[in-house]
Amino acid sequence: MSQTSQQTLTDTAALARNRARAEAQALFLHDRAVLDLQDRLDMVKREFTDPVLVTPHPAYWQGLTRGFARPPKVIGTGEVLDLAPGSADVVMHVFDLHWSNDPVGQLIQCRRALRPDGLLLAVFFGGQTLHELRACLGQAEIEVTGGLSPRIAPMGEVRDLGGLLQRAGFALPVVDSDKVTVDYESPLKLMADLRAMGEGNALHQRLRHPTRRAVMLRAVELYLQTHADAAGRVPATFELVTLTGWAPHESQQQPLRPGSALSSLADALGTAEKPLKP
């Protein structure tokens, strides 16, 4: 296998096919994210004049309207975004970074598109997403085949994601996590819903043939054994991560230089300061 293929996470053609089959009723998590981003925009207390929305599902984000002088310019996803430098005062990048082959590159493009003191809001699935399904599929495949194949995209953990914003040059980075638990009548209904969300397996190194029936049956059995309630329903966790960052501007708060504090922590706490022993 070539070095290029080893570094490629997502088969973008497969991802596009999956998203083309997405069904409106399965995109309920987008509805939740729309409301959350609207609340965040309302708290900024600013009317944005040149908003941009980056999304693979533009039809489901029409409700994001408050706080803008005009409706957001909607652009599609891809490795190279149709963003002109300095053309936006807010960029909203939604439900795509978890599939990106270069998430830092995506964020850098967003920062370059923002004017100074412009706002970035990025929403995507985090590392706790579908942890129940991951564990059951992995155990089932090991038991049945003796091996393990890529099935669900690796997603970033919250403790690491703030570094993406810093690497991309954003100021005042903030990372939030919202874990949503959805109850399903069966593991098979969950898997069907993932396909309807356009979130089916699009990994570059995925198996290129259908999963063996024995693996799927064992995964369902493990899911029911481990997670089902008395009625046989099973939970599925979805972690929605939101990145907030600002294009640097001189008006923003800056960290103090080391040693420039006018008072010590000991003074604030009313205790005696004890120097460290050499």
Side-chain angles (χ1 to χ4, degrees), residues 3 8 26 40-41 56 58 88 101 105 146 151 154 158 182 217 233 241 272 277:
Q3 183 178 5
T8 300
R40 293 171 186 270
L41 289 164
N101 286 314
R151 295 187 177 276
V158 168
V182 182
L217 290 177
R233 299 183 66 86
V241 172
K277 294 180 179 181

Side-chain angles (χ1 to χ4, degrees), residues 199-269:
E199 296 291 339
N201 190 351
L203 292 172
H204 181 77
Q205 294 183 324
R206 72 191 185 281
L207 292 176
R208 301 306 174 105
H209 56 76
T211 300
R212 290 172 56 176
R213 177 179 174 82
V215 172
M216 298 303 296
L217 290 177
R218 179 56 178 154
V220 169
E221 181 182 27
L222 288 169
Y223 210 130
L224 292 171
Q225 289 176 354
T226 309
H227 301 290
D229 62 17
R233 299 183 66 86
V234 296
T237 299
F238 295 90
E239 183 181 29
L240 304 184
V241 172
T242 303
L243 303 183
T244 305
W246 294 85
H249 187 261
E250 60 185 10
S251 66
Q252 295 165 353
Q253 292 180 335
Q254 302 294 324
L256 295 175
R257 297 190 310 276
S260 63
L262 300 178
S263 61
S264 69
L265 179 60
D267 292 337
L269 296 176

Side-chain angles (χ1 to χ4, degrees), residues 124-143:
F124 53 99
F125 289 119
Q128 294 302 305
T129 298
L130 300 175
H131 67 83
E132 306 94 342
L133 181 60
R134 293 171 189 262
C136 294
L137 277 172
Q139 183 177 339
E141 189 167 26
I142 290 172
E143 289 181 8

Side-chain angles (χ1 to χ4, degrees), residues 46-69:
R46 179 194 300 184
E47 185 177 58
F48 294 98
T49 58
D50 293 294
V52 174
L53 177 65
V54 182
T55 176
H57 301 290
Y60 307 105
W61 283 78
Q62 301 304 314
L64 196 63
T65 56
R66 295 198 309 272
F68 305 134

